[in-house]
Amino acid sequence: MRVTRLLRRGVAPPRLLALAAGILVALGQAPLNAWPLALIGLVMAVLSWSKALTAGEAAWRGWTVGFGAFLLSLTWLVNPFLVDPARDAWMIPFALFFMCGGLALFWALAFHLAKRLTLGLPGLVAFWGLAELARGHVFTGFPWAMPGYIWLDQAPAQLASLIGPYALTTVTFAWAALVARAVLNRSFFTAGAALILMISAYGYGWARLSEPLPQDRPQSVRVVQPNAPQREKWDPELVWTFYERALSLSPPDGADLVIWPETSVSVPLWAAAPYLTEIANDVAPARAIVGLNRVEGYQGYNAAVLVDRDGQPQEIYDKHHLVPFGEYMPMPALLERIGLRAFTAQEGYGYSAGPGPRLIDTGGTGRALPLICYEAIFPRDLRTHERPDWLLQMTNDAWFGTFSGPQQALAQARFRAIETGLPMIRAANTGISAVIDAYGDIRVAIPLGTSGAVTAALPGALPKTLYMRYGETALLGLLTLLMVSGLTVSKPGTRLRERDRRTRKTD
């Protein structure tokens, strides 16, 4: 009977439609890449906001859209808890709900403020875009599954080189808002504006892609993928099997630099001398970059080490952007009491953060900006005072499972190449390792879940992009324009009518 009353009052269907909208938005992310469905989901989300009578109801609908989008996009979050299911599986429902529900709060706040301040659809787009920017920064940030990523392998993705991924996401929201307004008002003019915006996005992308890439560098790299499943990676009886496998894949085949993934050498740096010497001998006359742990005093670091031809550490980079609850634990003593410790640190409290981004001079192959795993999801971590010649991601995506997690991690790496105009070399423990050019296209890859190695020329770099020069300036300008537009269209009479609607809804 209660369900019947809810249906009659029109409460249940809007919430269900909001959830469906979020699920459709998620379908645009890798590996499905169903971007037309994602666009439909975004239009449905805007329509859901438009039909909300109160700011509170708008917030609930925004949260529901976000929860559906993040829940489906981040299903890979269950995989770290399944490495040792007897110990950790009980935490899966809590981790999924609190992570996805927490991220959805950013969208809820955006929907609430746009309705509360009666700024119309321009205000919704502005607050929604601002919410995505905040999601990438608050509490160190987690900008995974940005709606702008649905454009991967489509021409509009190239807009990221001009305005960045946050502004691309906001432009995508703006297109959805135009379509929603055209539907609500049956306006051919607004539909035409949406069409012009889409044509412009494709036009810029096609124009950029029509320009030939610079010639490849004369040097080449060899990427090694040992394929050590996370459940077995630190097993004392198997760890040297994976080391020997990586070693057997390392003869350079004409490459100038051989790259191993994150933590591919199981011993810490202070004990790694004989192994680094062995690696140096096997890759000669090339050099090698390997991932391992480094201990200094009472602090541990997740490090990338460039090994010279004598097996000595020549350059060291310590990961600085760590994964909360994965590589370090806030309030460790308190969390230990309920059995929570950092996954990647085995039974410890995790790593310490390095001093920040820095370039590694690899010799003949130029200067690389190393990004260890999680760091490649943050556009801001690629802005350095000196421009690198190429990007290097060393990662262990075995934590992410075998479906959406590794695919989405690769998609974000490809966006970093587009944004910077730099090639990306990606060495992943279980895959997907790849050589990516400055347009974000994959030159060659090693499939997920296989062991192997590939030697490829280092792609050339494009000139420094406008996004790398000016950062989020375009986004801030767009948000300002939208806010001003929202204030312009929000007339006093509109605010009074909205207030009356909220009063009637309350009564």
Side-chain angles (χ1 to χ4, degrees):
M1 196 64 157
R2 180 177 175 80
V3 173
T4 304
R5 287 198 301 270
L6 289 173
L7 289 170
R8 190 180 299 119
R9 290 171 58 190
V11 175
R15 301 279 178 87
L16 291 176
L17 289 174
L19 183 63
I23 291 172
L24 287 175
V25 170
L27 294 178
Q29 300 292 328
L32 300 177
N33 299 314
W35 60 272
L37 294 180
L39 292 178
I40 292 172
L42 290 173
V43 173
M44 288 173 58
V46 176
L47 290 172
S48 179
W49 174 87
S50 299
K51 296 295 185 179
L53 296 180
T54 68
E57 180 58 27
W60 269 111
R61 295 186 187 189
W63 185 89
T64 305
V65 172
F67 184 74
F70 295 125
L71 184 65
L72 184 56
S73 299
L74 304 180
T75 52
W76 56 266
L77 282 173
V78 306
N79 289 283
F81 300 94
L82 297 177
V83 173
D84 187 352
R87 184 188 66 179
D88 300 324
W90 66 271
M91 291 185 280
I92 289 175
F94 303 98
L96 269 181
F97 178 82
F98 285 110
M99 185 66 175
C100 299
L103 294 175
L105 289 175
F106 288 96
W107 290 18
L109 183 60
F111 278 48
H112 172 86
L113 289 175
K115 184 66 69 171
R116 183 74 179 177
L117 300 177
T118 63
L119 296 180
L121 290 180
L124 173 64
V125 174
F127 282 120
W128 206 354
L130 188 60
E132 282 297 277
L133 181 65
R135 187 166 69 88
H137 290 77
V138 174
F139 301 123
T140 79
F142 190 70
W144 200 287
M146 262 194 282
Y149 292 155
I150 68 173
W151 295 115
L152 187 68
D153 290 322
Q154 302 298 317
Q158 300 301 317
L159 276 171
S161 68
L162 184 66
I163 59 177
Y166 295 107
L168 175 59
T169 295
T170 305
V171 169
T172 306
F173 292 155
W175 179 88
L178 286 171
V179 173
R181 174 172 286 177
V183 171
L184 289 170
N185 298 339
R186 299 180 182 179
S187 169
F188 289 103
F189 176 80
T190 309
L195 181 60
I196 291 172
L197 179 60
M198 184 66 75
I199 291 174
S200 299
Y202 269 93
Y204 175 82
W206 286 330
R208 186 169 193 258
L209 291 171
S210 68
E211 296 293 327
L213 283 168
Q215 287 188 339
D216 293 344
R217 295 174 65 98
Q219 301 83 18
S220 58
V221 296
R222 184 170 180 82
V223 182
V224 173
Q225 182 172 298
N227 191 36
Q230 193 59 44
R231 193 172 298 177
E232 302 173 358
K233 180 176 170 60
W234 300 104
D235 187 328
E237 296 182 2
L238 296 173
V239 68
W240 298 115
T241 300
F242 301 129
Y243 169 78
E244 293 292 341
R245 181 186 296 171
L247 203 63
S248 70
L249 295 168
S250 294
D253 189 26
D256 301 276
L257 184 67
V258 178
I259 304 168
W260 286 24
E262 176 188 16
T263 60
S264 49
V265 176
S266 60
V267 296
L269 181 59
W270 63 266
Y275 308 103
L276 298 184
T277 301
E278 187 175 24
I279 293 169
N281 291 336
D282 273 42
V283 305
R287 298 183 182 184
I289 296 180
V290 300
L292 45 65
N293 293 329
R294 191 176 74 84
V295 178
E296 185 176 304
Y298 293 99
Q299 294 181 302
Y301 299 90
N302 188 352
V305 177
L306 174 68
V307 182
D308 66 17
R309 292 183 176 89
D310 297 321
Q312 298 299 312
Q314 184 176 353
E315 296 259 16
I316 297 175
Y317 166 73
D318 295 323
K319 182 177 182 181
H320 73 279
H321 204 144
L322 303 179
V323 183
F325 302 101
E327 289 179 312
Y328 75 96
M329 300 298 291
M331 301 177 293
L334 175 62
L335 293 175
E336 183 189 17
R337 296 179 183 177
I338 59 173
L340 291 177
R341 291 192 176 192
F343 286 113
T344 53
Q346 290 89 61
E347 293 300 319
Y349 291 127
Y351 294 108
S352 297
R358 63 178 294 266
L359 305 188
I360 287 181
D361 188 349
T362 64
T365 48
R367 297 180 303 170
L369 175 64
L371 305 161
I372 298 181
C373 192
Y374 184 69
E375 291 176 322
I377 77 170
F378 296 97
R380 68 180 186 270
D381 285 348
L382 278 68
R383 297 196 195 106
T384 54
H385 294 296
E386 297 181 85
R387 193 179 191 222
D389 298 305
W390 52 284
L391 307 173
L392 167 63
Q393 186 188 16
M394 303 166 66
T395 184
N396 176 27
D397 290 352
W399 285 106
F400 301 162
T402 58
F403 182 57
S404 60
Q407 299 280 358
Q408 291 172 9
L410 173 64
Q412 291 172 98
R414 294 174 63 189
F415 258 90
R416 301 296 87 82
I418 295 171
E419 294 157 14
T420 59
L422 295 171
M424 165 82 80
I425 310 300
R426 190 171 195 269
N429 170 30
T430 56
I432 304 166
S433 300
V435 176
I436 303 165
D437 68 25
Y439 284 147
D441 292 329
I442 297 175
R443 291 281 186 88
V444 63
I446 306 173
L448 181 65
T450 63
S451 60
V454 63
T455 296
L458 190 59
L462 290 166
K464 192 173 186 179
T465 63
L466 286 178
Y467 179 60
M468 283 295 103
R469 291 181 185 276
Y470 300 109
E472 308 301 344
T473 302
L475 172 65
L476 297 177
L478 178 59
L479 294 178
T480 301
L481 181 64
L482 287 165
M483 287 292 190
V484 171
S485 178
L487 289 170
T488 301
V489 302
S490 180
K491 299 177 182 178
T494 304
R495 296 186 181 183
L496 288 173
R497 288 194 297 271
E498 180 66 23
R499 188 181 306 166
D500 290 342
R501 292 172 68 190
R502 288 199 298 264
T503 302
R504 290 195 300 271
K505 179 70 175 179
T506 303
D507 295 341

